[in-house]
Amino acid sequence: MGSRSRSAASHSSVAPLRRRASSLLLRGLAYAGAAVTVLTLGSLVVFVLVNGVPHLTPSLFSGEYTAQNVSLVPALAGSLLMAGAALLLAVPVGVGAAVYLVEYARRGSRFVAFVRVTAETLQGIPSIIYGLFGMLLFVSALGWGLSLASGACTLALMVLPVIMRTAEEALLAVPDAYRQGGFGLGAGRLRTVARCVLPSAAPGILAGVVLALGRCLGEVAALLFTAGTVAQIPDFGGSGALGLLDSCRTLAVHLYVLVGEGLHLDEAYATAVVLLALVAGLNALASAAAKKMRKGSAL
Amino acid sequence: MSRAVGVRALALREGAARALLAAAAAVSIVAVALVCLFLLVNSVPALAHIGLAEFLLGSEWRPANGLYGIFPMIVGTVYVTAGALAVGVPAGLLCAVFLSCFASRRAARLIMPGVELLAGIPSVVYGFFGLVVIVPLVRTHLGGQGLSVLAAAVLLGIMILPTVITVARTALDAVPSRYYEGALALGADHERSVFAVVVPAAASGLLTAVVLGLGRAMGETMAVIMVAGNQPVVPESLLGGVRTLTANIALEMGYAADLHREALVATGAVLFVLILLVTALIGALRKGRAA
């Protein structure tokens, strides 16, 4: 990359004028493309912040959601519960699958090829299809109704390919010397993977998990018909594990409902600010983890 | 004696771990199979009842009157997706060229986190932004309701930017620097070397970026619902309202029952087939590049 960024050779004063002009035009185009991107991002973020930050009032964070005060606390709790449950399901399966593909499977086996193709297919499926599927399977066929459990299972399926792919990349980046070291000390494959390979791949896996968490927090289409939109915190205190069968809304669903009702736009802006802040925080976390990964594997 | 038992326990544990991990890997196969199965089983009765041709080519969607034609939504998806590509692809590819070949290391380091943030912003936030900024802009400057093909295309164009930029940039960075140096040595200047040599060399990667953007635009739901107007008719102009396949499902699934519900699942099945085609195209592109 560094070798190609603007070398002195581009300033040749003998070039014909016409050619200089076309070069200038091309350069202008590239700069314009970057400018459009930066300006779009800037205006979006600034717009949401300017309109939302003044409405981040304490009443927005009071525990109870009422028609007068559309508190976002139940939705925030719903987001955390939903994302937590989805990751609890998806991370072990996704990392396990990646470990199998990288450490156990024979290279080029038909099973591996099939897993790859299906994982790519899953990655391409739009979230509304996941919502449809979740509704048909979890809500109707299994009879869980609109619930935290249905929503979390749907989200888990949706983020599974993300976790699988990033974990696979992280595992592939671990030097073979680590594995040879483990085997050389007499450890079996399982112990080698658990003690030598996984720890050094952990930051990369973590970056993928954070990415998946971001997708869970932002998802609406997959949740509307699986988790519903009830603004309440699932009642684990009263009904124990049956709280999993309570409907709840996440922050993103909350924002969608508020905008749809059109009565609480100020609160909608404030909710958008909270969502943006969460995403920005997660992005920072992911890139910190990725940086750690790069440093770790360079050793 | 105890040593033999230990070895056997170890072998058992290894075997169990291998089986468990293979099962985890098989989950994605099972998931795809289940998605196909459920979409198929739940949409075939409706398709048999309505008739496949009537369903795909019928231009009236009026569930209350028993009319289930999704042709307007198919056209709507095509329009909106094409518009999104027209907006997002030039900007995205040029931005990728800038990041890969023009930007100083510092500028790239400043812009890339921004692009990543753009990728992480939830689609409802985009939709909200579109509703309160892009839609009024269209309404005041170009007329109409504002909720339109144009608004949806611009918004989706913005939303596919990060996908296009990151994939295209990776492809450009992967072009061997000797191509660029060769062009310089032949007397081309920096801009000409980049656009006439480096960019064509990365063509298949850039195409992958475009197709990935296409998939994302086609599958987007919430943002489109919020800005597109959602009338189930073929839009007469860029300023007309439009409903996509995704929007059709999300708008009506909440209250649909019986045949209506199955028709919506069938809408999902049609969308699923379109997405499978896109995925297959991406796979073919990747294979072509590897060969």
Side-chain angles (χ1 to χ4, degrees):
Chain A
M1 178 196 96
S3 64
R4 233 186 281 137
S5 38
R6 299 214 40 78
S7 62
S10 61
H11 298 287
S12 95
S13 54
V14 289
L17 200 61
R18 207 159 51 101
R19 182 174 289 183
R20 289 291 304 275
S22 76
S23 290
L24 273 179
L25 182 72
L26 289 177
R27 192 193 309 170
L29 276 175
Y31 278 79
V36 166
T37 307
V38 171
L39 283 179
T40 312
L41 171 72
S43 62
L44 200 152
V45 171
V46 168
F47 182 83
V48 170
L49 288 183
V50 164
N51 286 291
V53 170
H55 299 292
L56 283 173
T57 54
S59 67
L60 207 56
F61 296 93
S62 73
E64 204 69 22
Y65 175 97
T66 60
Q68 281 77 42
N69 179 33
V70 287
S71 163
L72 58 72
V73 171
L76 190 58
S79 274
L80 297 180
L81 281 171
M82 188 75 74
L87 291 182
L88 215 57
L89 290 169
V91 171
V93 176
V95 174
V99 167
Y100 183 80
L101 291 181
V102 177
E103 309 290 338
Y104 280 81
R106 256 183 318 114
R107 231 155 268 233
S109 88
R110 192 169 291 177
F111 177 70
V112 170
F114 209 46
V115 170
R116 288 244 159 75
V117 169
T118 48
E120 267 167 38
T121 309
L122 281 182
Q123 182 128 37
I125 294 179
S127 51
I128 185 72
I129 303 266
Y130 280 109
L132 210 52
F133 170 69
M135 186 196 74
L136 294 171
L137 175 59
F138 303 120
V139 177
S140 301
L142 295 179
W144 294 350
L146 293 177
S147 61
L148 180 62
S150 303
C153 287
T154 310
L155 283 187
L157 268 185
M158 195 181 83
V159 297
L160 179 66
V162 178
I163 292 173
M164 255 175 88
R165 207 202 51 226
T166 45
E168 210 185 323
E169 276 165 15
L171 289 171
L172 283 172
V174 175
D176 265 342
Y178 285 39
R179 297 180 183 97
Q180 289 154 2
F183 291 137
L185 289 172
R189 189 170 285 275
L190 181 61
R191 186 174 289 250
T192 305
V193 169
R195 290 291 169 84
C196 306
V197 181
L198 275 180
S200 76
I205 295 174
L206 183 68
V209 172
V210 172
L211 207 68
L213 179 58
R215 277 197 74 184
C216 287
L217 292 180
E219 190 48 51
V220 177
L223 290 177
L224 275 182
F225 310 119
T226 55
T229 59
V230 179
Q232 64 176 12
I233 302 175
D235 183 18
F236 288 106
S239 48
L242 282 178
L244 279 173
L245 296 181
D246 285 348
S247 167
C248 68
R249 64 165 68 159
T250 65
L251 261 187
V253 174
H254 182 64
L255 173 58
Y256 178 67
V257 173
L258 287 185
V259 174
E261 291 169 348
L263 299 171
H264 300 282
L265 278 190
D266 292 343
E267 287 83 350
Y269 280 116
T271 308
V273 171
V274 176
L275 265 177
L276 264 188
L278 281 175
V279 169
L282 287 179
N283 269 7
L285 195 62
S287 66
K291 196 177 279 176
K292 181 135 188 267
M293 180 80 197
R294 269 199 301 278
K295 256 188 214 142
S297 61
L299 282 174
Chain B
M1 201 47 200
S2 73
R3 189 177 160 75
V5 172
V7 167
R8 198 183 304 158
L10 204 66
L12 200 67
R13 195 171 348 141
E14 286 289 344
R18 173 182 281 272
L20 211 61
L21 293 169
V27 165
S28 59
I29 299 178
V30 175
V32 170
L34 278 178
V35 171
C36 292
L37 183 75
F38 269 79
L39 287 182
L40 207 66
V41 166
N42 285 283
S43 60
V44 161
L47 287 178
H49 191 271
I50 301 163
L52 186 63
E54 187 58 32
F55 183 68
L56 290 177
L57 301 174
S59 59
E60 297 271 359
W61 175 268
R62 270 185 282 155
N65 304 3
L67 289 172
Y68 298 99
I70 60 164
F71 187 67
M73 276 71 95
I74 294 177
V75 174
T77 292
V78 171
Y79 279 5
V80 168
T81 307
L85 292 182
V87 172
V89 165
L93 290 187
L94 287 170
C95 184
V97 169
F98 174 80
L99 285 171
S100 178
C101 308
F102 286 87
S104 66
R105 190 164 292 206
R106 231 179 94 213
R109 208 178 289 165
L110 277 173
I111 293 175
M112 267 329 269
V115 174
E116 276 157 26
L117 182 63
L118 212 49
I121 294 176
S123 53
V124 271
V125 175
Y126 278 108
F128 186 37
F129 175 76
L131 183 66
V132 292
V133 176
I134 298 176
V135 168
L137 274 178
V138 172
R139 186 164 52 220
T140 47
H141 292 285
L142 301 168
Q145 290 286 314
L147 300 164
S148 57
V149 180
L150 184 63
V154 171
L155 185 63
L156 281 179
I158 295 172
M159 290 180 70
I160 64 171
L161 273 179
T163 310
V164 176
I165 292 172
T166 17
V167 179
R169 186 191 174 192
T170 311
L172 287 167
D173 282 350
V175 174
S177 60
R178 59 175 192 274
Y179 286 28
Y180 169 77
E181 285 151 11
L184 280 189
L186 288 172
D189 58 12
H190 176 69
E191 287 78 10
R192 200 158 275 264
S193 309
V194 167
F195 280 94
V197 175
V198 177
V199 170
S204 79
L206 300 183
L207 197 59
T208 305
V210 173
V211 180
L212 279 170
L214 183 141
R216 176 141 199 230
M218 201 151 81
E220 181 48 49
T221 311
M222 305 326 288
V224 176
I225 288 187
M226 291 161 91
V227 300
N230 302 321
Q231 298 91 326
V233 291
V234 175
E236 69 276 19
S237 78
L238 269 181
L239 299 176
V242 64
R243 180 187 287 196
T244 60
L245 290 168
T246 52
N248 197 38
I249 304 167
L251 285 167
E252 300 187 0
M253 205 62 203
Y255 60 85
D258 305 330
L259 183 62
H260 185 192
R261 178 176 148 123
E262 284 171 359
L264 292 177
V265 177
T267 310
V270 171
L271 177 67
F272 185 59
V273 170
L274 289 177
I275 289 289
L276 283 185
L277 290 178
V278 172
T279 310
L281 187 58
I282 294 170
L285 279 172
R286 188 169 304 145
K287 202 168 274 176
R289 201 148 30 124

